[in-house]
Amino acid sequence: MNLWKSKGFGRLIGAFAASLMAPMLHAQTPGVSNNEIVIGLFAPLSGPLVAYGVDPLNAAKMLYDDVNAKGGIHGRKIRLVIEDDKCTGNELVGVVKKLITVDNVFVLHGGSCTAAIAAAQEYIQREKVPFVMLNAAGDNAVFPATRYMFGSFQGTQRVYGSALAEFAVKSLKAKRVAVIVHDDDYGKANLAAAKAVIERLGGEVVAQERIPPNISDITAPVLNLRASKPDAILSGAYPAPAVLLAQKYGEFGMTNIPLLQSTQGMPTPSVYAKNVGNPDALKNLYHTWSFSDIANEAIRARMVGMYKKSFPDREPGPFMVTGVPSALAVIDTLQRMGRDLTREKFVDAMEKLNLTADVMTGPLQFAPGRRDALRSVVVVKFDGKTQKAMPDIYTWNGKDGN
Amino acid sequence: MGTWNLIWQGLASGVVTGCVYALVALSLVIVYKSTDVVNFAGGELVMIGAYLGLFILLGLEWPYVALFVMVPIGSFVLGGLFTRFSLDKVSGRAMVKHANLVPLVVATIALSYLLKGIVRVIPFTEEVRRLPPLMTGPPIFLGDVVIQQQDIAIVLVTTVVMVILWLFFGYTFVGKALRATSQNIRAAALLGIPVNLMKLSVWGLSAAIAGIAGILLAPKLLMTPDMGTVVMLAFAAAIIGGFSSLPGCVVGGIALGILQNMVGIFISPQAIAVTPFFVIMLVLLFKPQGFFDTTLAVKKV
């Protein structure tokens, strides 16, 4: 008898093949069980950029805990797997791989540093795992839009540049505008959007200074700005150069010219003011801001109160509120999805996000081909001690500078 | 603001920045002239001086003038300790000037990482800080050219340090003993000069000058553990003037400060960072001994 041709052997092979295929046929969505959804939450929890990570991550955790306290989402509690990405590409990619392959999370929610996130982008696309940025600006990771990456819950450089340009021309009646940005992709995006808006509104860009992010002597660029006799100066500088710029602007007696700074240049306004060290340099200073807590003290108090209830031993820093919008977006999406959770359905549902939260200056929205959530910001006047939100909200039209 | 006003302003600001580069370059050249060792920790000694100054001013709440006493003393002690516990061990207290140069240079690189690492772990330094300026008050206007009182202070302090150094090396016994030790260590020892103490003094003096540069530089920059990168500009200044010439490195520093501003104004701010390295290349190609050091030495390999 030929064993290979026997019916019994054939049935044995068939049963073996079926047993291999059974798990695939009835595959469970990673990170989802009957009673829990697993979310990988990560941020820089150590290292020099810890201030950008700890409080925002805690804020997101606070919101997830609040949801769990109210019974979870459609009967499922959210379980967090928290990791430290140290704001570096190597660490973040390692964290993401671990969360996907070892912890089998449903979605990834994290990242405070765009460059680090960009390092993981290819892996994310390959593994087809939804990635919702925690509080990174995200310009490089959301333009061009890719299917699985969602971010920029505080706005992009295009939003900041266009908002300040519109404020300068419409509110400050500036006709001649000087722009100083960095010579990287963020600076390029900021400048392009600002220039497009200024020219669209009938103004003129009289100086464009592009400076390295690590510049230590900003004398020459500021002299060039001064020589162009602008009515307003727009800055997309990062924190250290932004302080140097304000110092030189004060030293060279330019303080009658409004200085308009994008958000990234003054993440902590009080520290910025202390480092500038010249009250005169701050008398004509404005900056963009993506949250309504400055205009509405009750909102800030509510957020801080919620935070302190969850973390009574910790005083929240100024970045705390930046962890809120992305967590609200994830929660809203999960609620809209119902019980039937798959990663692809999460992406489709997230793409339909249109969430208005009182803490934000505008709606959080995605769409096919759009992965930057927030396009509206306010402009705040800061004199070194008090911040006052200007009345209007400035919205990027999605075209200027793109 | 016309072109000439831009130039004058660039010149004025360049002289101020150049004075700081000159001080750091002086600290490098003093050590090199005496020991043939290039001190790669020069920038970190500037950084330490700045943080020490900030601690004295804000932590101990001593008056500003105390910085110009305590920071040089503290930096001198640091330089002395480095010599005693590292360099002497590495060189084996050798009487030969050129012995073990590579390990000595490596020791300075190690010191730079050590200092940066120590500063990074101190919680006080987590936040980016700024040292308040020595002199505040309304700027002085010369036409359209703005000169800050702090800038005048920088130029004055730099001038005073240079004059003190010139008097020290030229007219004091210790200064002459240091010069003798740097020229011929064996002969100096035979004359009864305590050469090990002289070596320690050179490194201490170099660190003290770097510390003073840190106090002057810190109000103009933001203080971070990485602010020691100014040493690259000091190297360029020393190479321009001649690595064995004290007056040369002063002129080199000021020239570099002015050149950077002119490049930034008339070419591009993005070219400012590469200017020192471009100048280094040109000088090494056409006048490798620098503009103020007339001797071109060829050593046996």
Side-chain angles (χ1 to χ4, degrees):
Chain A
M1 180 181 163
N2 189 333
L3 180 64
W4 298 106
K5 288 182 181 173
S6 70
K7 279 184 187 172
F9 189 74
R11 285 185 191 130
L12 186 65
I13 296 294
F16 181 64
S19 71
L20 285 177
M21 285 177 63
M24 291 191 301
L25 288 171
H26 298 282
Q28 196 167 9
T29 300
V32 177
S33 67
N34 215 25
N35 50 14
E36 76 174 12
I37 304 166
V38 184
I39 294 178
L41 183 63
F42 53 96
L45 304 179
S46 63
L49 297 169
V50 63
Y52 291 85
V54 169
D55 283 331
L57 185 140
N58 283 348
K61 185 172 180 303
M62 153 187 103
L63 292 171
Y64 288 132
D65 289 344
D66 186 58
V67 161
N68 285 344
K70 289 170 182 165
I73 297 180
H74 299 295
R76 290 187 175 111
K77 295 282 176 83
I78 294 174
R79 179 166 68 84
L80 300 172
V81 180
I82 295 177
E83 295 288 344
D84 176 7
D85 68 17
K86 295 185 173 60
C87 234
T88 66
N90 281 345
E91 287 288 335
L92 191 139
V93 170
V95 157
V96 158
K97 284 182 177 175
K98 185 240 175 205
L99 289 169
I100 292 173
T101 58
V102 174
D103 300 300
N104 291 311
V105 300
F106 177 54
V107 300
L108 297 160
H109 179 199
S112 305
C113 303
T114 307
I117 291 169
Q121 208 164 4
E122 197 204 321
Y123 182 76
I124 296 298
Q125 298 308 319
R126 202 165 65 235
E127 295 298 315
K128 297 183 170 48
V129 178
F131 188 129
V132 181
M133 293 181 212
L134 177 65
N135 60 339
D139 287 64
N140 268 12
V142 298
F143 296 110
T146 53
R147 177 162 170 77
Y148 297 94
M149 190 73 78
F150 298 89
S152 300
F153 289 90
Q154 298 178 73
T156 61
Q157 290 301 310
R158 291 155 173 80
V159 173
Y160 302 150
S162 63
L164 291 177
E166 193 177 339
F167 175 73
V169 176
K170 282 188 175 170
S171 300
L172 300 179
K173 312 294 179 208
K175 288 276 179 231
R176 299 167 57 84
V177 182
V179 184
I180 178 166
V181 294
H182 290 298
D183 55 1
D184 55 12
D185 288 340
Y186 304 106
K188 197 170 149 190
N190 192 305
L191 173 62
K195 198 169 170 212
V197 169
I198 291 164
E199 287 169 357
R200 178 164 56 77
L201 296 176
E204 185 193 356
V205 177
V206 296
Q208 300 177 46
E209 292 295 312
R210 303 198 66 190
I211 56 175
N214 58 355
I215 192 167
S216 56
D217 187 359
I218 207 166
T219 305
V222 173
L223 286 177
N224 285 340
L225 291 177
R226 185 177 166 212
S228 69
K229 295 187 175 31
D231 300 322
I233 298 172
L234 269 55
S235 164
Y238 298 142
V243 167
L244 295 177
L245 170 64
Q247 283 176 352
K248 277 286 176 232
Y249 156 89
E251 282 177 19
F252 287 139
M254 296 160 68
T255 56
N256 58 323
I257 306 169
L259 176 60
L260 283 56
Q261 175 64 55
S262 294
T263 303
Q264 68 272 9
M266 38 194 307
T268 314
S270 58
V271 171
Y272 173 90
K274 195 170 72 174
N275 284 334
V276 170
N278 178 3
D280 200 43
L282 305 173
K283 70 180 189 193
N284 229 337
L285 174 70
Y286 300 83
H287 68 90
T288 47
W289 190 240
S290 312
F291 300 91
S292 49
D293 58 340
I294 291 175
N296 190 331
E297 194 54 44
I299 291 176
R300 187 205 292 268
R302 191 181 86 228
M303 286 284 121
V304 171
M306 240 178 119
Y307 188 93
K308 280 184 164 171
K309 207 169 147 195
S310 297
F311 304 97
D313 296 330
R314 190 174 169 86
E315 192 63 35
F319 299 126
M320 180 271 287
V321 70
T322 65
V324 167
S326 55
L328 290 176
V330 170
I331 292 166
D332 177 79
T333 302
L334 289 171
Q335 281 170 341
R336 282 186 287 114
M337 286 173 74
R339 285 281 301 182
D340 186 17
L341 299 181
T342 67
R343 284 173 172 165
E344 293 301 319
K345 286 181 179 169
F346 178 90
V347 171
D348 293 335
M350 192 67 150
E351 217 169 51
K352 296 185 175 76
L353 182 79
N354 188 351
L355 177 64
T356 302
D358 63 357
V359 68
M360 304 305 299
T361 48
L364 300 172
Q365 291 174 312
F366 294 116
R370 173 181 166 178
R371 289 296 184 267
D372 57 306
L374 183 73
R375 291 187 174 178
S376 301
V377 293
V378 293
V379 173
V380 175
K381 188 172 194 308
F382 178 55
D383 62 5
K385 292 196 176 110
T386 52
Q387 296 193 79
K388 185 183 171 194
M390 297 292 106
D392 296 320
I393 293 176
Y394 298 90
T395 302
W396 177 51
N397 61 12
K399 293 187 196 117
D400 288 321
N402 233 12
Chain B
M1 191 185 191
T3 305
W4 275 112
N5 280 332
L6 257 181
I7 291 173
W8 286 122
Q9 185 69 68
L11 273 170
S13 301
V15 165
V16 174
T17 324
C19 282
V20 181
Y21 298 160
L23 274 183
V24 185
L26 268 176
S27 81
L28 298 177
V29 168
I30 282 171
V31 157
Y32 182 77
K33 267 175 79 78
S34 306
T35 64
D36 269 356
V37 174
V38 177
N39 179 15
F40 283 97
E44 277 63 44
L45 290 169
V46 169
M47 182 262 295
I48 289 289
Y51 274 108
L52 193 54
L54 188 72
F55 173 69
I56 291 169
L57 201 63
L58 299 183
L60 301 179
E61 293 182 5
W62 287 4
Y64 210 107
V65 71
L67 266 61
F68 289 96
V69 174
M70 300 309 297
V71 168
I73 290 175
S75 300
F76 187 97
V77 167
L78 180 63
L81 286 172
F82 173 61
T83 312
R84 179 71 181 81
F85 292 107
S86 176
L87 294 181
D88 279 353
K89 302 272 185 251
V90 168
S91 67
R93 292 178 176 257
M95 296 297 281
V96 178
K97 185 181 173 186
H98 301 290
N100 297 325
L101 277 181
V102 170
L104 293 173
V105 170
V106 171
T108 68
I109 296 173
L111 178 65
S112 81
Y113 279 98
L114 180 66
L115 292 175
K116 233 191 292 197
I118 289 171
V119 168
R120 280 217 168 98
V121 299
I122 298 172
F124 182 71
T125 64
E126 224 174 57
E127 206 177 285
V128 172
R129 294 181 184 270
R130 185 171 162 260
L131 190 69
L134 170 60
M135 287 168 72
T136 54
I140 296 161
F141 287 90
L142 298 174
D144 268 344
V145 176
V146 180
I147 300 176
Q148 295 294 317
Q149 295 193 27
Q150 171 69 7
D151 293 347
I152 295 173
I154 288 173
V155 174
L156 278 175
V157 169
T158 306
T159 307
V160 165
V161 168
M162 289 176 199
V163 167
I164 289 174
L165 281 176
W166 175 67
L167 290 170
F168 175 74
F169 282 113
Y171 297 99
T172 66
F173 176 76
V174 176
K176 288 178 184 175
L178 278 172
R179 281 166 58 198
T181 309
S182 74
Q183 285 164 12
N184 192 323
I185 197 168
R186 279 189 192 280
L190 287 170
L191 286 170
I193 294 173
V195 292
N196 288 324
L197 184 60
M198 291 298 112
K199 273 197 311 184
L200 189 147
S201 300
V202 159
W203 280 93
L205 182 62
S206 167
I209 295 172
I212 293 173
I215 304 170
L216 297 177
L217 191 61
K220 295 192 83 66
L221 294 185
L222 289 176
M223 289 171 57
T224 66
D226 294 314
M227 66 183 283
T229 49
V230 70
V231 76
M232 294 314 301
L233 298 158
F235 277 129
I239 288 171
I240 291 171
F243 230 100
S244 298
S245 166
L246 292 181
C249 71
V250 171
V251 173
I254 293 173
L256 187 62
I258 294 170
L259 183 62
Q260 280 195 302
N261 272 356
M262 293 303 134
V263 165
I265 290 169
F266 293 108
I267 299 177
S268 163
Q270 292 159 285
I272 295 175
V274 301
T275 303
F277 303 103
F278 184 68
V279 168
I280 287 174
M281 267 176 47
L282 282 180
V283 171
L284 289 176
L285 273 173
F286 297 109
K287 196 117 164 97
Q289 69 274 31
F291 286 94
F292 286 80
D293 192 346
T294 51
T295 53
L296 179 63
V298 176
K299 288 184 181 169
K300 270 190 182 174
V301 174

